Amino acid sequence: MDDVVLPDHQPNANPLSYFVETQNDGALISWAHAVNSKALLKRALSEKQMMLEADIILSDSANGTVPIMAHPPMTHSDLTFDEWLMGVIPARRGIKLDFKSIEAVPPVLERLRVLEQQLRFPVMLNADVLPGFDSPTLPLDAEHFIRLCKLMFPRATLSTASTSTTRSRSVPSDEP
């Protein structure tokens, strides 16, 4: 991506128009998933991934309750949302924020709103709002999530999904 001139876009930029080198082929957009630690963020940035996806929950810290990058059942991380965002902004990669708790949405959207002029790349906001097959995880309230996003950071692209199970179903097993 270093040799590509990136257009000056808004947070609601279409990744296909932002990453011009894909020539409108979404299959050519490279993704780094679950970028939830300092090491994974460093690797994703060094590998020149175009879009970074990370999971967000709230965590209690010495500074109060803060959004961190973690996917349940993990409840701790070495990376706060603010640290993550400050690492991504200068790299100008697209981001997909996957909210794992509705309580994490307002502080994250407020931070995005404060920094909106620096967000010159695609921003996607995601939440699992539908129950998935055989998933023990409860979905987030869809109406509440969408309302918060429209009110607090309407220029982002919304993405919704269903909850999933952490058990692998790809390998046949004799176990029930």
Side-chain angles (χ1 to χ4, degrees):
M1 259 180 47
D2 290 339
D3 57 342
V4 175
V5 177
L6 297 174
D8 194 26
H9 283 285
Q10 300 296 317
N12 60 347
N14 179 334
L16 292 176
S17 63
Y18 182 74
F19 299 110
V20 294
E21 66 268 37
T22 66
Q23 299 178 0
N24 287 320
D25 185 349
L28 297 178
I29 295 176
S30 60
W31 284 82
H33 293 278
V35 182
N36 297 333
S37 71
K38 289 178 181 178
L40 292 174
L41 178 59
K42 182 178 179 180
R43 185 169 81 195
L45 293 175
S46 71
E47 291 176 351
K48 310 290 187 213
Q49 299 294 339
M50 296 174 178
M51 293 289 297
L52 307 182
E53 182 270 344
D55 306 293
I56 304 176
I57 63 171
L58 284 183
S59 180
D60 293 327
S61 75
N63 298 329
T65 303
V66 296
I68 63 166
M69 312 316 285
H71 188 292
M74 300 298 296
T75 58
H76 295 85
S77 175
D78 67 346
L79 189 58
T80 66
F81 169 69
D82 200 53
E83 292 168 330
W84 188 90
L85 190 59
M86 292 300 103
V88 172
I89 286 175
R92 295 184 63 162
R93 307 300 166 84
I95 61 174
K96 181 179 178 184
L97 304 174
D98 191 354
F99 293 93
K100 298 303 178 185
S101 78
I102 199 71
E103 295 81 14
V105 177
V108 167
L109 297 184
E110 179 58 32
R111 186 68 173 141
L112 291 175
R113 184 167 49 189
V114 167
L115 296 172
E116 184 169 4
Q117 293 306 309
Q118 297 178 52
L119 306 179
R120 310 312 264 173
F121 44 81
V123 175
M124 300 174 79
L125 306 175
N126 181 76
D128 296 341
V129 299
L130 297 170
F133 174 75
D134 198 26
S135 175
T137 306
L138 294 175
L140 274 61
D141 181 313
E143 287 184 37
H144 192 189
F145 174 70
I146 293 168
R147 190 175 327 110
L148 285 170
C149 293
K150 286 176 65 176
L151 175 68
M152 297 184 73
F153 200 72
R155 300 198 57 171
T157 300
L158 288 185
S159 167
T160 58
S162 61
T163 60
S164 61
T165 182
T166 56
R167 294 189 316 225
S168 172
R169 297 200 175 271
S170 60
V171 179
S173 171
D174 292 334
E175 295 178 24

